Amino acid sequence: MPEAKLIDGKAIAEALRREIATGAARFAARTGRPAGLAVVLVGDDPASQVYVKSKGRQTIETGMRSIQHRLPAETSQLELMGLIERLNKDEAVDGILVQLPLPPGLDSGAVIEAIDPAKDVDGFHPVNAGRLMTGAPSLVPCTPLGCVLLAKSVSPSLKGLEAVVVGRSNIVGKPVAQLLLAEDCTVTIAHSRTRDLPGVVRRADLVVAAVGRPEMVRGDWIKPGAIVIDVGINRIASGDGKGRLVGDVAFEEARAVVGAITPVPGGVGPMTIACLLRNTLDAASRRAGLA
Ligand code: NDP
């Protein structure tokens, strides 16, 4: 059996960011302004602060404008909706992202629905979810888009592949399944009530694991030669007390059988922000009538 190919998400994300930077420069030259991404952070969740910081830095690095709104945890629903309304109307803002989760008491569903679908760069608005489902052009959720780009980096056509997506969340499992369907895969969505999950996964030429359970998908669940995209990010105990990150797939076991696999970290993770930047440029280009 040939050695499994490691899908290097970091390198693929970097290449994607370079492409976006070229597009962003062209956008600015044609419109006389940079594409703008507004990120709204409410409260002081440490993980969210780290994400928002890297989003801002990478936005600027690709030649786009980063606009950040940091609001206190006590912000009311009305105040937050007011800000979204202003960002919707602001011509310099092409993309709006509200960092989730919101502090308790704020209704994230209502906030997402208040975002102009044309600026919904997270792709979570029901209008964009509906467009994805009906095959209309839409802003597509970033992590699922990253998964598909990673799979296509090793198999440019996914046509006819048996794909099994483990997990059915609105932010990962369901949209990734829709995207794979659009790529002409035969898609099965598995979840916590699926009977004989190992048997279902064994059918797959392409497995996307988005569960949130460390190393749940074992090596002997995987068909030899399959492509495995591991979305899971789980911190488990390690000898040094700091903990280490693992995916939803038992990496070393799987590596012995797969055709190609994404590592954790360094696989799907780096693609998420790169896809957010791509969505921002897409949204900007559509709004400016350039796409
Ligand atoms: P959710 O908790 O929203 O969904 C998890 C899904 O897994 C559910 O559909 C659930 O099924 C299913 N599931 C849970 N237990 C089992 C089981 N024993 N067997 C089969 N299916 C099971 O998680 P998310 O989709 O938000 O995230 C999934 C993982 O991806 C997490 O580790 C998260 O940290 C990571 N993630 C990574 C991102 C990145 O940038 N790399 C971005 C987003 C998420 P049911 O519906 O029946 O409960």
Side-chain angles (χ1 to χ4, degrees):
M1 165 103 35
E3 173 112 341
K5 189 171 166 31
L6 210 59
I7 305 176
D8 185 349
K10 232 171 130 182
I12 297 169
E14 209 177 294
L16 181 57
R17 282 198 301 271
R18 276 198 300 274
E19 224 176 85
I20 297 161
T22 308
R26 201 176 309 129
F27 176 88
R30 290 178 73 178
T31 62
R33 67 169 184 91
L37 171 63
V39 176
V40 180
L41 173 63
V42 188
D44 39 27
D45 177 63
S48 295
Q49 286 181 344
V50 173
Y51 290 136
V52 166
K53 205 169 150 196
S54 357
K55 284 169 187 173
R57 181 174 42 77
Q58 295 189 32
T59 304
I60 293 165
E61 279 169 6
T62 41
M64 299 194 273
R65 180 169 167 226
S66 164
I67 304 130
Q68 300 209 339
H69 291 269
R70 290 165 187 265
L71 308 178
E74 311 72 57
T75 302
S76 70
Q77 185 80 22
L78 206 65
E79 285 168 313
L80 184 53
M81 298 295 253
L83 173 60
I84 301 294
E85 196 49 45
R86 289 198 296 284
L87 295 173
N88 281 342
K89 289 190 181 134
D90 187 338
E91 283 305 317
V93 170
D94 298 290
I96 303 170
L97 179 147
V98 177
Q99 187 66 41
L100 300 177
L102 290 173
L106 292 174
D107 177 353
S108 53
V111 173
I112 289 166
E113 288 199 34
I115 297 173
D116 176 352
K119 297 188 176 188
D120 167 41
V121 282
D122 247 344
F124 293 161
H125 194 290
V127 165
N128 282 317
R131 285 189 184 143
L132 174 61
M133 180 135 186
T134 55
S138 63
L139 288 164
V140 169
C142 305
T143 301
L145 178 58
C147 292
V148 173
L149 295 176
L150 290 175
K152 289 178 85 169
S153 75
V154 287
S155 175
S157 168
L158 304 177
K159 190 178 281 192
L161 296 189
E162 285 279 347
V164 171
V165 178
V166 191
R168 56 174 164 180
S169 71
N170 288 331
I171 61 165
V172 191
K174 283 180 199 160
V176 97
Q178 289 295 339
L179 288 171
L180 292 174
L181 192 58
E183 293 289 336
D184 296 326
C185 290
T186 301
V187 184
T188 302
I189 308 178
H191 46 77
S192 68
R193 307 300 157 92
T194 296
R195 272 186 274 158
D196 184 21
L197 183 61
V200 171
V201 174
R202 266 182 213 117
R203 296 202 306 256
D205 305 305
L206 169 59
V207 181
V208 179
V211 184
R213 291 184 182 264
E215 302 178 325
M216 186 189 82
V217 176
R218 310 309 307 189
D220 66 358
W221 296 17
I222 292 167
K223 178 167 157 179
I227 300 169
V228 176
I229 307 293
D230 190 352
V231 186
I233 303 177
N234 310 288
R235 188 168 288 280
I236 60 167
S238 66
D240 61 8
K242 285 190 197 150
R244 72 186 170 94
L245 292 183
V246 296
D248 290 341
V249 179
F251 181 79
E252 289 305 332
E253 286 177 23
R255 198 178 185 176
V257 264
V258 296
I261 185 165
T262 57
V264 176
V268 175
M271 289 298 282
T272 298
I273 299 185
C275 289
L276 169 69
L277 302 175
R278 186 174 124 157
N279 277 353
T280 302
L281 183 59
D282 279 357
S285 304
R286 278 189 211 141
R287 292 184 63 249
L290 302 175

